[in-house]
């Protein structure tokens, strides 16, 4: 019998990701501003700067996921500093609109099969996500919502991972003890905070540009 009665998942870059590449998102956003010709090399550099900075401790400390207003402020500032406005005036704001649009997200190929397998094993499931906007519409569109008994999003509680509160809130809502819960995520700066509550944590490596996420490894633990 498994030692785990419940599994908590991070959302972004664990279960779901922005559709296609970030570069494609930049092109799409620029096209809505009437800019169709962009330098491919500069687009790649801008998106690389976004990725390199977005997960740093410095950026996370800005509290972008504590409220919707702060999320908008911090992310558009990051897009500007990465060079979006040099590509097209107004691109930072338009790119933000795209990234919070439920239609801009996709599930990894192995997300639904993994969730189905866990449900068949009677495991309770939850999401614990640092986010400044509501992920439920994206989860609804992708067919993920029925698998989860709880979704804890930081902007609704005013606290982010690695704080114990968000993990314990999910456990309380699932009515399961932390020591019987597995947390699955991808960020050692945030998701590893679950260890302090008595949970076990499984951290995924950075995702490949295409293909499955490696979530099948979770099944070997449960």
């Amino acid at each position: 019998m498994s030692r785990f009665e419940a599994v908590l998942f991070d959302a972004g870059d664990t279960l779901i990701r922005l559709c296609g590449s970030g570069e494609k998102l930049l092109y799409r956003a620029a096209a809505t501003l009437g800019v169709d010709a962009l330098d491919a090399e500069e687009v790649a550099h801008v998106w690389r700067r976004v990725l390199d900075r977005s997960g740093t401790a410095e950026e996370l400390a800005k509290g972008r996921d504590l409220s919707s207003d702060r999320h908008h402020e911090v992310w558009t500032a990051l897009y500007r500093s990465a060079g979006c406005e040099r590509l097209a005036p107004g691109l930072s704001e338009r790119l933000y609109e795209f990234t919070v649009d439920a239609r801009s997200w996709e599930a990894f190929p192995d997300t639904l099969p993994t969730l189905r397998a866990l449900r068949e094993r009677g495991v309770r499931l939850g999401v614990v996500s640092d986010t400044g906007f509501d992920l439920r519409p994206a989860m609804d569109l992708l067919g993920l919502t029925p698998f989860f008994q709880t979704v804890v999003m930081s902007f609704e509680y005013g606290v982010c991972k690695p704080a114990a509160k968000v993990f314990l809130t999910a456990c309380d809502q699932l009515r399961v003890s932390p020591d019987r819960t597995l947390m699955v995520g991808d960020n050692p700066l945030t998701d590893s905070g679950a260890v302090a509550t008595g949970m076990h944590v499984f951290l995924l490596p950075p995702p490949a540009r295409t293909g499955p996420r490696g979530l099948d490894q979770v099944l070997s633990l449960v």
Side-chain angles (χ1 to χ4, degrees):
M1 181 172 127
S2 169
R3 67 175 300 154
F4 300 118
E5 298 175 4
V7 178
L8 303 178
F9 288 93
D10 171 55
D13 286 333
T14 297
L15 295 173
I16 61 176
R17 63 181 168 195
L18 288 168
C19 296
S21 66
E23 291 95 328
K24 289 182 180 178
L25 200 66
L26 277 167
Y27 283 116
R28 287 174 54 207
T32 66
L33 296 170
V35 178
D36 296 315
L38 293 176
D39 181 86
E41 185 174 347
E42 182 59 20
V43 168
H45 286 165
V46 167
W47 190 250
R48 174 47 55 190
R49 286 193 287 268
V50 170
L51 292 180
D52 288 345
R53 298 176 190 179
S54 62
T56 63
E58 179 183 3
E59 280 296 316
L60 295 174
K62 294 178 180 179
R64 68 190 184 201
D65 295 322
L66 293 176
S67 72
S68 297
D69 288 343
R70 187 63 179 155
H71 189 265
H72 174 266
E73 179 184 353
V74 172
W75 273 105
T76 52
L78 175 58
Y79 292 151
R80 285 193 295 272
S81 67
C84 283
E85 297 305 303
R86 293 198 302 274
L87 293 174
L91 183 57
S92 300
E93 185 67 36
R94 190 56 54 86
L95 181 59
Y96 181 82
E97 293 171 2
F98 270 69
T99 56
V100 300
D101 188 329
R103 295 167 296 182
S104 294
W105 293 83
E106 64 182 3
F108 286 97
D110 49 347
T111 295
L112 281 170
T114 299
L115 296 179
R116 289 193 191 99
L118 290 170
R119 183 171 63 180
E120 289 170 358
R121 299 180 187 188
V123 179
R124 281 168 270 182
L125 301 176
V127 168
V128 178
S129 176
D130 282 351
T131 176
F133 69 101
D134 195 347
L135 289 169
R136 292 182 185 90
M139 293 174 61
D140 290 343
L141 282 176
L142 297 171
L144 305 184
T145 299
F147 292 95
F148 295 104
Q149 288 77 57
T150 186
V151 177
V152 177
M153 294 182 287
S154 59
F155 81 101
E156 294 183 328
Y157 291 86
V159 62
C160 292
K161 299 178 287 188
K165 178 180 177 179
V166 288
F167 303 109
L168 294 176
T169 295
C171 286
D172 288 344
Q173 293 177 358
L174 290 176
R175 298 182 181 179
V176 64
S177 172
D179 64 356
R180 300 283 291 167
T181 303
L182 176 67
M183 174 66 203
V184 180
D186 68 295
N187 192 331
L189 294 176
T190 57
D191 297 315
S192 61
V195 170
T197 71
M199 297 182 194
H200 285 71
V201 176
F202 180 63
L203 291 175
L204 295 162
R209 290 178 67 91
T210 60
R213 186 65 180 94
L215 291 168
D216 60 321
Q217 297 299 316
V218 177
L219 301 178
S220 67
L221 302 173
V222 177

